[in-house]
């Protein structure tokens, strides 16, 4: 079968370190930290009191009072990032076959803030079920994809992907497959998350998954560091416009990068812990390389999942070393979660941008907050420690993993 080439023609982002792609990128290469004490609710009784929240976000600039009543923050974030990507791609001026344009969107927790608020109101009103009539549409994870399509008249494939923290990665993978098979010309793909809430913070604290470095929260997200103690919650959204190569050429669109291959796997080991030998991660990366027909020696950059958890970081590095062998020392490995925190289901959506832009700008964002590399990590590895690295880059790999053992690896190539 003659598979079609798949490229990226638009980018959009709303992150804890920048409310658009340009600001996000500049913050990344300058090592800006997005972590602060949580402002959206009282954390007095919580073990963790900090997160990477969106800064200077004003709903009123984007949505009417009526729209705000209908949209959870998760969906709001997704709409904003998707609009930036759609404008960037030139699709606002596209008036041809919108039956061939789809939207695939990922989120791990969807409208959890709305769910909390409505549940609290239920108890406050003495168990009288006076729910917002938009309660259900606001909490369901697929609604963001639906609204993006409704707002733009996109009538192609439309659905949500849910695979915990790998959700937006699976959205990108599905978009890649649909376009390469000729089932669509363009897919708006990405993810959003607005899970800095009572229940999310409390739930992840109960799992002992979050950092509790309250007295030094600015350095709490420290992937690969000896003294890491858990991840930092983040929120926001990322979006990429994925398009068939000849179609993009015909409308003279800019081209950021090509998706060369994707790899999927499952650890089949534990609901939250990774396989200690990294077998699932190895399989995902290996499958991506085989799909792309790329040798390990050709990879220049790996944007690691790198959450700053005790087990996760070691397992991923062990898997990378196992697969890439001697070639691993020629690769810049980094974790941008050191700056943004962990956006859960939206993490791959913003990290894809952090993997793509180095291909065009020839600079790799750093992993900040590395003070002492974990003794179980080879100190000869290039972890892009604390400072951006200028380098000519041809191929980037982006890794994303999720609770349930989900593993996704995606390879991007310079056009």
């Amino acid at each position: 079968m003659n598979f079609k080439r798949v490229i990226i023609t638009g980018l959009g982002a709303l992150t804890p370190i920048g409310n658009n792609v340009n600001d996000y990128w500049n913050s990344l290469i300058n090592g800006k930290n997005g972590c602060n004490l949580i402002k959206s609710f009282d954390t007095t009784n919580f073990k963790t009191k900090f997160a990477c929240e969106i800064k200077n976000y004003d709903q009123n600039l984007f949505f009417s009072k009526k729209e705000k009543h209908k949209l959870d923050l998760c969906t709001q974030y997704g709409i904003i990032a998707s609009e930036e990507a759609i404008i960037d791609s030139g699709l606002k001026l596209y008036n041809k076959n919108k039956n061939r344009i789809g939207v695939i969107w990922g989120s791990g927790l969807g409208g959890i803030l709305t769910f909390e608020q409505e549940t609290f109101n239920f108890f406050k009103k003495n168990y009288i079920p006076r729910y917002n009539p938009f309660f259900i549409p606001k909490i369901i994870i697929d609604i963001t994809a639906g609204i993006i399509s409704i707002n733009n008249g996109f009538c192609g494939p439309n659905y949500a992907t849910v695979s915990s923290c790998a959700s937006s990665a699976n959205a990108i993978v599905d978009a890649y497959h649909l376009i390469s098979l000729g089932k669509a010309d363009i897919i708006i793909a990405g993810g959003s998350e607005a899970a800095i809430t009572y229940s999310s913070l409390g739930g992840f604290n109960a799992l002992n998954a979050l950092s509790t470095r309250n007295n030094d929260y600015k350095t709490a997200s420290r992937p690969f560091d000896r003294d890491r103690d858990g991840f930092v919650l983040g929120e926001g959204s990322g979006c990429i416009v994925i398009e068939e190569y000849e179609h993009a050429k015909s409308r003279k669109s800019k081209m950021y990068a090509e998706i060369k291959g994707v790899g999927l796997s499952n650890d089949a080991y534990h609901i939250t812990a990774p396989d200690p030998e990294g077998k699932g991660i190895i399989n995902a990366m290996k499958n991506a390389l085989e799909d792309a027909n790329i040798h390990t020696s050709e990879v220049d950059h790996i944007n690691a999942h790198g959450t700053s958890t005790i087990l996760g970081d070691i397992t991923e590095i062990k898997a990378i070393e196992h697969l890439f062998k001697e070639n691993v020392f020629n690769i810049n490995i980094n974790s941008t979660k050191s700056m943004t925190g962990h956006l859960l289901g939206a993490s791959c959506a913003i990290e894809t941008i952090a993997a793509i832009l180095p291909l065009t700008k020839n600079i790799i964002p750093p992993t900040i907050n590395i003070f002492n590399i974990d003794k179980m990590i080879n100190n000869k590895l290039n972890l892009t420690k604390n400072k951006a690295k200028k380098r000519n880059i041809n191929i980037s790999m982006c890794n994303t993993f999720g609770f349930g053992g989900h593993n996704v690896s995606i390879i991007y190539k310079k056009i």
Side-chain angles (χ1 to χ4, degrees):
M1 184 173 179
N2 186 23
F3 294 105
K4 297 178 182 293
R5 290 179 68 185
V6 181
I7 61 164
I8 293 160
T9 59
L11 306 175
L14 177 63
T15 79
I17 57 172
N19 292 4
N20 55 62
V21 170
N22 187 60
D23 289 350
Y24 169 52
W25 174 251
N26 286 333
S27 294
L28 283 175
I29 60 174
N30 286 296
K32 183 176 180 180
N33 192 314
C35 190
N36 289 101
L37 294 174
I38 292 171
K39 296 179 180 178
S40 53
F41 60 91
D42 183 5
T43 60
T44 300
N45 296 319
F46 288 83
K47 289 192 292 184
T48 297
K49 304 178 186 304
F50 56 88
C52 290
E53 293 179 301
I54 298 293
K55 315 296 187 297
N56 303 314
Y57 178 67
D58 185 354
Q59 300 178 56
N60 299 313
L61 295 176
F62 303 98
F63 305 102
S64 67
K65 184 177 180 180
K66 185 177 180 180
E67 288 172 323
K68 287 186 295 181
H69 187 63
K70 296 180 180 180
L71 302 172
D72 184 88
L73 271 181
C74 180
T75 299
Q76 290 182 29
Y77 292 166
I79 292 170
I80 292 167
S82 65
E83 279 297 295
E84 183 184 10
I86 290 165
I87 290 169
D88 185 43
S89 71
L91 284 179
K92 280 294 182 185
L93 303 175
Y94 183 84
N95 294 310
K96 295 185 181 178
N97 190 0
K98 292 190 175 182
N99 291 332
R100 300 278 298 173
I101 304 177
V103 182
I104 306 176
W105 206 258
S107 183
L109 293 170
I112 189 167
L113 178 60
T114 293
F115 188 87
E116 273 188 17
Q117 291 171 338
E118 292 293 320
T119 302
F120 291 158
N121 287 338
F122 175 69
F123 291 120
K124 285 179 183 177
K125 294 173 182 176
N126 297 316
Y127 305 94
I128 298 172
R130 291 175 180 167
Y131 284 85
N132 180 337
F134 295 101
F135 171 55
I136 298 301
K138 285 176 75 173
I139 68 170
I140 54 178
I141 289 174
D142 65 299
I143 202 67
T144 305
I147 290 175
I148 292 170
S149 283
I150 290 167
N151 288 350
N152 294 279
F154 299 150
C155 298
N158 186 283
Y159 57 93
T161 50
V162 183
S163 47
S164 184
C165 300
S167 297
S168 58
N170 281 111
I172 294 167
V173 168
D174 281 13
Y176 165 78
H177 284 145
L178 284 171
I179 292 172
S180 66
L181 290 169
K183 304 297 184 182
D185 294 326
I186 301 170
I187 300 285
I188 315 304
S192 51
E193 208 77 83
I196 301 176
T197 70
Y198 293 111
S199 55
S200 294
L201 192 69
F204 282 119
N205 269 156
L207 282 172
N208 294 315
L210 294 180
S211 171
T212 56
R213 197 180 296 276
N214 295 306
N215 294 326
D216 188 19
Y217 57 84
K218 283 290 186 184
T219 70
S221 185
R222 47 173 72 187
F224 318 127
D225 186 81
R226 179 191 66 193
D227 299 314
R228 68 194 181 281
D229 69 330
F231 74 83
V232 176
L233 267 177
E235 64 176 354
S237 181
C239 180
I240 61 175
V241 176
I242 304 176
E243 189 164 355
E244 193 273 323
Y245 175 75
E246 293 297 336
H247 188 274
K249 234 169 74 167
S250 71
R251 66 183 191 91
K252 298 181 173 58
S253 175
K254 69 166 74 71
M255 301 184 187
Y256 285 101
E258 180 174 4
I259 303 179
K260 285 298 292 183
V262 301
L264 304 169
S265 74
N266 192 275
D267 288 350
Y269 176 76
H270 189 271
I271 58 171
T272 58
D275 181 298
E277 298 302 315
K279 293 175 185 176
I281 298 172
I282 292 168
N283 283 338
M285 294 189 295
K286 183 180 178 184
N287 291 341
L289 289 167
E290 289 176 354
D291 188 38
N293 193 27
I294 285 173
H295 190 265
T296 55
S297 62
E298 297 178 78
V299 176
D300 304 303
H301 168 223
I302 298 176
N303 187 295
H305 186 57
T307 56
S308 185
T309 55
I310 304 294
L311 296 176
D313 290 5
I314 293 296
T315 302
E316 183 175 10
I317 291 297
K318 185 185 292 186
I320 290 170
E321 284 192 285
H322 177 90
L323 182 63
F324 286 87
K325 298 183 169 55
E326 69 277 0
N327 294 315
V328 74
F329 300 107
N330 299 319
I331 299 171
N332 272 86
I333 301 167
N334 72 335
S335 171
T336 50
K337 288 185 179 73
S338 59
M339 294 173 272
T340 66
H342 189 359
L343 270 68
L344 307 178
S347 60
C348 186
I350 66 164
E351 288 163 25
T352 284
I353 296 169
I356 289 168
L357 288 181
L359 297 170
T360 64
K361 298 181 181 293
N362 293 318
I363 184 168
I364 299 171
T367 310
I368 68 168
N369 297 330
I370 297 181
F371 304 99
N372 299 285
I373 294 176
D374 191 299
K375 65 181 180 180
M376 295 182 69
I377 295 176
N378 188 334
N379 61 15
K380 292 181 180 179
L381 294 176
N382 190 342
L383 300 177
T384 325
K385 181 180 173 183
N386 298 320
K387 188 176 180 181
K389 171 72 173 179
K390 290 183 178 180
R391 175 180 176 178
N392 185 50
I393 305 154
N394 191 50
I395 292 173
S396 284
M397 172 182 279
C398 189
N399 286 341
T400 310
F401 319 128
F403 282 178
H406 314 293
N407 304 302
V408 182
S409 187
I410 305 173
I411 293 175
Y412 301 98
K413 188 176 186 298
K414 182 179 289 184
I415 294 288

